[in-house]
Amino acid sequence: MSDILEPIDYEALVLAKLEDAAQSSSLSERRGHLDQAAVFAAKGEAARYAGNGCRS
């Protein structure tokens, strides 16, 4: 059996967290979702540059 890892779709995760933030009923909940979206966006950028052989 092969141990091939599927690539993570960070863009989809960002969009889901932004949707969660839009649906949040409290400011603290909204901030939490936006913080998570920012983390996923940063990880997505890092993965994109790593995949292209670029260094930041």
Side-chain angles (χ1 to χ4, degrees), residues 10-29:
Y10 287 109
E11 185 174 340
L13 292 171
V14 169
L15 292 175
K17 284 297 160 188
L18 291 175
E19 180 66 27
D20 290 344
Q23 301 296 323
S24 295
S25 58
S26 70
L27 184 58
S28 63
E29 191 177 281

Side-chain angles (χ1 to χ4, degrees), residues 1-55:
M1 180 183 273
S2 172
D3 288 332
I4 297 174
L5 298 176
E6 294 293 322
I8 298 172
D9 187 354
Y10 287 109
E11 185 174 340
L13 292 171
V14 169
L15 292 175
K17 284 297 160 188
L18 291 175
E19 180 66 27
D20 290 344
Q23 301 296 323
S24 295
S25 58
S26 70
L27 184 58
S28 63
E29 191 177 281
R30 184 174 297 133
R31 285 180 181 156
H33 290 303
L34 292 174
D35 287 347
Q36 289 176 334
V39 169
F40 289 140
K43 286 185 175 228
E45 285 298 307
R48 183 176 304 141
Y49 283 114
N52 289 334
C54 298
R55 294 182 184 221

